[in-house]
Amino acid sequence: MPDLKTVLAEITAAMRAETTRGAVADYIPELRRVPLDRFGIAVVLRDGEEVTGGDADQPFSIQSISKVFTLTLALGRAGDGLWRRVGREPSGDPFNSIVQLEHERGIPRNPFINAGAIAVTDVLMAGNRPRETLAETLRFLRFVAEDDDIAIDEAVARSERETGFLNASLANYMRAFGVVQGDVEHVLGVYFHHCAIAMSCRHLARAGRYLAFNGRIPTLGAGIINPDRARRINALMLTCGHYDGSGDFAFSVGLPGKSGVGGGVLAVAPGTASIAVWSPGLDAKGNSLLGRIALERLARAMQWSVFG
Ligand code: GLN
């Protein structure tokens, strides 16, 4: 097996030199300002060893990667009853698409497209005030990432709300069908704020350990969720974590992964490693272009694909 440090150093150098880097998300000004030349990667192994490359300690907007953590928390609250309000199938459509909602009576295809994540946020709130739900989400992330400084970028959250007409449409549409049950403005507020959480690759990779290691964080001796639930969240990441690019991600990388329009990707090699990569340039489907390429190289070099 090649040496992980050497592999990450090679990948980081290659990604730094790459000239085709995709395009930074431009739907809100705060994301548009992020320099395209950034690249970071972090890997955390079962024994707690952390190997990093590039800008691994620079926080970025985790955006839709937050949907993995809100799903974890909402399942903790509602159990499998959550699946009455959200499906488990890949959508084959862009992350903010509304078309399937009409055919499917307001039930979103999966928890990782925007509609699904908004419904999950509603489940997670369940009578709580927005501030309480956000505090719970931050508390969880600070614990699993072992970093008390993880915070919400308020400027990003504000812009999300100012430009979030499509997300408001999705939420209202689901409210009409009773899939979203709480106050639409409150649910959207929490959704925009959890998307606006900023984290570094190192902290994101730490946060993904419970998914990589059967629901536990081995070095903390902490059980976060049961192994069945971790396995299922990983299955959803593999099938739905990259929207209409999920098939291609599974084909080229072969690991469960969740992307965000900030350019981050959280990926897990079950039993072996939790991985986070960040390159803000996106491909046409809104997934990090170099993030995928870097993960493809890493999974191949270390033979970490779940498909053998
Ligand atoms: N906050 C973004 C949105 O709702 C998240 C999308 C994403 O990361 N794909 O549009």
Side-chain angles (χ1 to χ4, degrees), residues 123-229:
V123 170
L124 178 57
M125 290 180 71
N128 289 331
R129 298 154 70 86
R131 201 178 303 133
E132 291 162 352
T133 305
L134 287 169
E136 178 187 353
T137 307
L138 281 175
R139 219 171 20 247
F140 175 74
L141 279 174
R142 288 170 180 166
F143 178 71
V144 291
E146 294 181 72
D147 174 40
D148 285 338
D149 295 329
I150 291 170
I152 292 165
D153 184 329
E154 289 294 340
V156 172
R158 213 173 310 116
S159 299
E160 296 266 3
R161 183 182 276 286
E162 282 162 7
T163 58
F165 303 109
L166 213 43
N167 285 320
S169 307
L170 296 169
N172 279 294
Y173 202 87
M174 290 186 289
R175 183 73 183 79
F177 284 96
V179 172
V180 163
Q181 296 171 357
D183 180 286
V184 168
E185 283 310 308
H186 287 177
V187 173
L188 282 170
V190 171
Y191 172 78
F192 292 136
H193 279 78
H194 74 62
C195 285
I197 292 170
M199 288 172 75
S200 66
C201 287
R202 184 189 298 277
H203 294 142
L204 202 50
R206 285 185 194 167
R209 288 176 295 183
Y210 73 91
L211 296 170
F213 305 117
N214 285 312
R216 296 181 58 78
I217 301 181
T219 47
L220 289 180
I224 307 296
I225 53 175
N226 71 44
D228 273 346
R229 196 159 274 169

Side-chain angles (χ1 to χ4, degrees), residues 62-76 111-112 117 120-121 124 133 136-138 140-142 144-145 150 194 197 199-200 203-211 224-225 233 237 258 265-268 274-276:
I62 67 169
Q63 291 293 322
S64 286
I65 303 170
S66 62
K67 296 169 181 174
V68 174
F69 305 117
T70 49
L71 174 65
T72 301
L73 291 171
L75 282 168
F112 294 149
V120 166
T121 297
L124 178 57
T133 305
E136 178 187 353
T137 307
L138 281 175
F140 175 74
L141 279 174
R142 288 170 180 166
V144 291
I150 291 170
H194 74 62
I197 292 170
M199 288 172 75
S200 66
H203 294 142
L204 202 50
R206 285 185 194 167
R209 288 176 295 183
Y210 73 91
L211 296 170
I224 307 296
I225 53 175
I233 295 173
M237 286 169 69
K258 181 73 205 83
V265 185
L266 172 66
V268 296
S274 174
I275 309 154

